[in-house]
Amino acid sequence: MQKKISKRYSLEQIAQAIRETRQTKGWSQRELSARSHIAQPQISRFENGDVDLQLSSLIELARALDLDLQLVPRSALPAVAAIVKEREERAEENELHHTLKRLVHEVSVLEQAHPHLTSVTRLKDAALEVETISSRLNPVVATKAIGGVVRRLEELASSTTRSPARFSRDLKIAHEELRNIRTIAVHGDDRRQIPAYSLDEED
């Protein structure tokens, strides 16, 4: 019974690693199927833990995802896990850095279009503050939150139908979101929540 449970747990771990890697790459199951030549329904069943893939199929999935299957001595597992964790953390930090660059770019676009707006100046100051304390941010949480601000600013920059009142309101929301991110980083208050505003609200 114990062997059965242990095998099941290991398969679930592998399936989770396959699913998370696929999602990190932004691939659908259909795209992974095309790259690995494994049927999409089979990938779905494997990721859900409903089927045990043949080793050859698992190898093909791993290769398509730039992964490799290795037999590692148990005594070396802690060292391997530490290396993998370090690599994942580095990737998360790189993603945060990329998102911050997008944020600064979008603020610059708004500044060029509206050089005399005080609200844009405040937004720029908040963005620079967040960039300055980026080492204190949780990379995963911050990337998601800052990404939301970036998307809001992209819509602001591309919209030609927003009323001045709506434009001003959305700038204020973006500024508040950035200030909230900074506050959480500085004070370490995980209880604070970044407000989820909707761009579809009526004025």
Side-chain angles (χ1 to χ4, degrees):
M1 181 67 176
Q2 183 62 36
K3 289 183 179 179
K4 197 170 185 179
I5 293 175
S6 176
K7 178 183 177 185
R8 179 68 176 174
Y9 182 62
S10 297
L11 287 174
E12 287 177 353
Q13 287 181 314
I14 294 172
Q16 180 180 352
I18 293 291
R19 181 175 59 252
E20 289 179 350
T21 304
R22 174 180 64 76
Q23 292 173 340
T24 298
K25 289 180 174 293
W27 295 356
S28 65
Q29 290 180 349
R30 189 177 300 277
E31 184 169 358
L32 177 55
S33 173
R35 292 171 180 267
S36 64
H37 307 293
I38 307 297
Q40 184 271 326
Q42 192 174 6
I43 294 174
S44 177
R45 289 195 295 271
F46 176 64
E47 288 189 356
N48 291 327
D50 297 331
V51 66
D52 185 355
L53 283 183
Q54 291 183 347
L55 181 58
S56 58
S57 297
L58 186 56
I59 290 173
E60 289 303 318
L61 280 181
R63 285 176 176 169
L65 292 164
D66 296 323
L67 300 174
D68 197 7
L69 296 179
Q70 295 285 341
L71 296 176
V72 179
R74 286 183 182 171
S75 60
L77 284 177
V80 173
I83 292 171
V84 171
K85 182 179 180 182
E86 181 182 355
R87 186 178 183 280
E88 289 175 345
E89 289 175 347
R90 195 179 305 122
E92 291 169 356
E93 290 169 358
N94 288 340
E95 182 65 19
L96 174 58
H97 178 68
H98 174 70
T99 305
L100 282 167
K101 286 181 66 175
R102 288 176 58 205
L103 172 65
V104 172
H105 171 73
E106 291 304 325
V107 172
S108 297
V109 170
L110 283 171
E111 186 179 31
Q112 291 172 13
H114 308 278
H116 304 300
L117 278 183
T118 304
S119 54
V120 173
T121 302
R122 287 200 301 266
L123 184 68
K124 179 183 178 181
D125 291 342
L128 292 176
E129 278 189 281
V130 170
E131 186 179 33
T132 300
I133 61 168
S134 60
S135 61
R136 303 173 65 175
L137 298 170
N138 177 308
V140 176
V141 176
T143 297
K144 183 177 180 180
I146 295 169
V149 177
V150 170
R151 288 189 294 275
R152 184 184 297 282
L153 297 182
E154 287 174 341
E155 290 197 23
L156 273 177
S158 62
S159 175
T160 58
T161 60
R162 264 187 180 80
S163 66
R166 181 71 176 270
F167 182 84
S168 178
R169 190 207 68 163
D170 286 342
L171 273 181
K172 180 180 178 182
I173 290 172
H175 177 260
E176 289 175 352
E177 288 172 333
L178 290 178
R179 294 293 295 171
N180 202 20
I181 292 169
R182 177 195 174 279
T183 299
I184 292 172
V186 171
H187 299 290
D189 188 353
D190 294 332
R191 294 170 299 176
R192 291 181 61 107
Q193 297 294 320
I194 297 171
Y197 296 98
S198 170
L199 288 174
D200 297 324
E201 293 174 3
E202 295 294 331
D203 291 337

